[in-house]
């Protein structure tokens, strides 16, 4: 019996985010699972635009970025022979990630975190942290943007301290509630 049948990997289309995608695909390979990838168009990104801006042009640009991001996941998944289902939604990233995972019956969410701390975290908030705090689905976070360690160690889930994936079950975290405002993307 496989522990995971459906794995959700939210993507923001960043090259750093490919690390979380690779981790999700490796996990899917081990468990014989399918992968769902989700791109959330952060509607709050419209807020700072002047009214005379072409909303239609902005929407087309954001949708084009979203399509590119989910196609990149599909392309990476082809190397793993893992089935991938893609979705693009609009809304608050953390809320949409949680709603999708719970609504689609996903067994785990694998997502990147930029590992921000201090004032950056306070001012920007963290999508990953909000998902961890609010999700009834277990969340595995993968620290992004750091190098070192080996590919074999990554596949085994044991890497150097700077790279070790942090596995967090949202139910085990404190219920302090969401903090700060959300940044777009996956971490």
């Amino acid at each position: 019996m496989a522990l995971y049948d459906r794995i959700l990997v939210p993507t923001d289309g960043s090259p750093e985010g490919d690390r979380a995608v690779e981790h999700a695909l490796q996990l899917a390979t081990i468990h014989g699972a399918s992968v769902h990838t989700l791109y959330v168009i952060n509607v709050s990104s419209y807020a700072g635009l002047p009214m005379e801006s072409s909303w239609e042009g902005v929407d087309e640009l954001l949708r084009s970025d979203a399509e590119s991001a989910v196609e990149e996941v599909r392309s990476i998944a082809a190397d793993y022979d893992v089935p991938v289902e893609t979705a693009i939604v609009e809304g608050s990233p953390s809320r949409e990630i949680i709603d999708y995972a719970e609504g689609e019956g996903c067994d785990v969410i694998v997502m990147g975190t930029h590992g921000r701390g201090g004032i950056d975290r306070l001012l920007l908030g963290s999508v990953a942290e909000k998902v961890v705090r609010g999700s009834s689905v277990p969340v595995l976070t993968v620290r992004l943007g750091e190098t070192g360690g080996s590919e074999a160690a990554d596949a085994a889930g044991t890497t150097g301290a700077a790279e070790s994936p942090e596995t967090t079950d949202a139910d085990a975290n404190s219920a302090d509630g969401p903090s700060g405002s959300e940044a777009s993307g996956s971490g």
Side-chain angles (χ1 to χ4, degrees):
M1 176 173 84
L3 182 60
Y4 303 125
D5 290 322
R6 293 181 179 164
I7 299 171
L8 173 61
V9 60
T11 183
D12 63 359
S14 69
E16 299 85 18
D18 288 350
R19 183 163 156 62
V21 170
E22 295 270 352
H23 197 95
L25 291 167
Q26 290 171 0
L27 197 60
T29 300
I30 291 167
H31 291 276
S34 65
V35 169
H36 292 241
T37 188
L38 176 69
Y39 185 100
V40 180
I41 297 173
N42 187 353
V43 293
S44 68
S45 61
Y46 289 105
L49 294 175
M51 288 305 290
E52 60 271 6
S53 293
S54 167
W55 293 104
E56 196 170 299
V58 171
D59 186 57
E60 287 174 18
L61 180 63
L62 292 173
R63 289 213 173 269
S64 174
D65 287 348
E67 289 290 338
S68 294
V70 297
E71 283 309 310
E72 176 65 16
V73 173
R74 191 181 296 278
S75 173
I76 295 169
D79 293 338
Y80 288 87
D81 196 29
V82 170
V84 175
E85 187 171 317
T86 64
I88 298 170
V89 298
E90 291 184 8
S92 162
S94 60
R95 181 79 263 152
E96 294 299 328
I97 292 166
I98 292 167
D99 287 350
Y100 185 91
E102 292 173 353
E104 293 295 320
C106 294
D107 301 304
V108 66
I109 302 168
V110 177
M111 63 187 302
T113 178
H114 293 287
R116 287 189 196 103
I119 195 72
D120 283 344
R121 186 169 148 244
L122 179 65
L123 294 175
L124 297 174
S126 167
V127 173
E129 180 180 358
K130 289 177 183 178
V131 171
V132 166
R133 290 182 181 272
S135 178
S136 63
V137 175
V139 178
L140 183 136
T141 61
V142 179
R143 189 159 301 175
L144 304 179
E146 300 189 19
T147 57
S150 70
E151 290 297 320
D154 282 345
T158 56
T159 60
E163 279 200 307
S164 64
E166 305 160 20
T167 305
T168 308
D169 184 341
D171 293 332
N173 288 318
S174 65
D176 295 335
S179 63
S181 63
E182 287 184 353
S184 65
S186 65

